[in-house]
Amino acid sequence: MVLNEEQSTIDFWETAYQTGKTGWDLGQPSPVLVAWADRPDVTPGGRMAVVGCGRGHDAVFLADRGFQVVGFDLAPSAIAEADRAARDRGVAAEFVQADIFNLAANWAGQFDWVIEHTCFCAIDPSLRPTYVQAVRSLLKDQGSLVAVFFAHDRPGGPPFGTSIAEIQQLFEPQFVIQELQQSAHSIDRRRNEEYLGWLRPRLAP
């Protein structure tokens, strides 16, 4: 399944926000990411990029936990709502309207963390190798990608499905996959379909 060109544009995603066709939006932080942030092996702090941040639920939550968050999204309405959410919560988070595939020019190597949640599944599957390179370019060599992968097998999209095998094939050339496990913390309609990944950049020998 290839995404229609129109669905790759600012107008497509902006219209989705303005018309309320945002089924991916939980109206709250991802329970999978909340459970990750609660783990004893997660130390808050460091600069964090949230790609495809939407209305900022995850970004604001993680900023409140002590990370220095910059959220990126293509849709101006999403960025405006994320800004309001941060102000309402009283947290310092920055939100930038931008195409994630063009971030390296200004943001390369600036982040200790990249957070993925419902961005990978929204893009044209043919762009997934480019996506892997894009998120890798944002990270410092000792950084981490923390991802909530939506691994369903239904046809069509977005959200486009994936599999553990595809995730491994796509990411392992650029990352060491430290953890990739089905989450027990998903909402009911995503139960048994969300996998938490913790990946670190693969360094040149």
Side-chain angles (χ1 to χ4, degrees):
M1 175 69 178
V2 176
L3 193 65
N4 184 290
E5 267 186 37
E6 180 184 284
Q7 292 175 300
S8 299
T9 66
I10 293 174
D11 285 347
F12 175 83
W13 296 106
E14 178 66 7
T15 297
Y17 278 98
Q18 291 194 11
T19 58
K21 296 178 180 177
T22 53
W24 63 88
D25 188 323
L26 303 182
Q28 64 182 44
S30 164
V32 180
L33 288 175
V34 172
W36 170 78
D38 284 339
R39 287 167 43 163
D41 58 342
V42 175
T43 302
R47 194 160 166 80
M48 174 180 280
V50 180
V51 293
C53 66
R55 293 185 172 99
H57 305 301
D58 298 328
V60 170
F61 164 74
L62 290 163
D64 197 36
R65 283 295 180 98
F67 296 96
Q68 301 163 35
V69 174
V70 183
F72 300 98
D73 202 279
L74 195 58
S77 286
I79 293 299
E81 291 189 45
D83 269 326
R84 283 195 293 272
R87 290 197 300 271
D88 290 347
R89 187 66 179 266
V91 300
E94 180 181 359
F95 293 98
V96 178
Q97 191 269 317
D99 186 331
I100 63 168
F101 295 108
N102 296 327
L103 294 179
N106 296 313
W107 301 89
Q110 294 193 25
F111 295 97
D112 303 287
W113 306 90
V114 170
I115 299 296
E116 151 65 40
H117 174 221
T118 68
C119 185
F120 179 81
C121 68
I123 62 172
D124 182 332
S126 70
L127 294 175
R128 286 176 171 176
T130 308
Y131 170 90
V132 173
Q133 183 59 47
V135 295
R136 171 62 184 92
S137 73
L138 297 175
L139 282 167
K140 300 175 183 178
D141 284 348
Q142 303 305 317
S144 290
L145 167 64
V146 177
V148 181
F149 291 112
F150 192 19
H152 70 83
D153 60 3
R154 293 178 291 281
F160 298 100
T162 189
S163 65
I164 296 304
E166 183 188 29
I167 293 166
Q168 292 170 332
Q169 179 184 18
L170 287 169
F171 283 88
E172 282 184 337
Q174 296 285 336
F175 289 88
V176 176
I177 300 176
Q178 294 192 161
E179 181 179 334
L180 186 58
Q181 299 289 336
Q182 190 176 92
S183 176
H185 303 284
S186 301
I187 62 170
D188 286 345
R189 69 176 184 270
R190 296 184 189 171
R191 194 165 302 282
N192 301 323
E193 295 182 337
E194 289 187 313
Y195 288 75
L196 176 70
W198 194 335
L199 302 83
R200 294 191 185 274
R202 189 179 295 278
L203 304 182

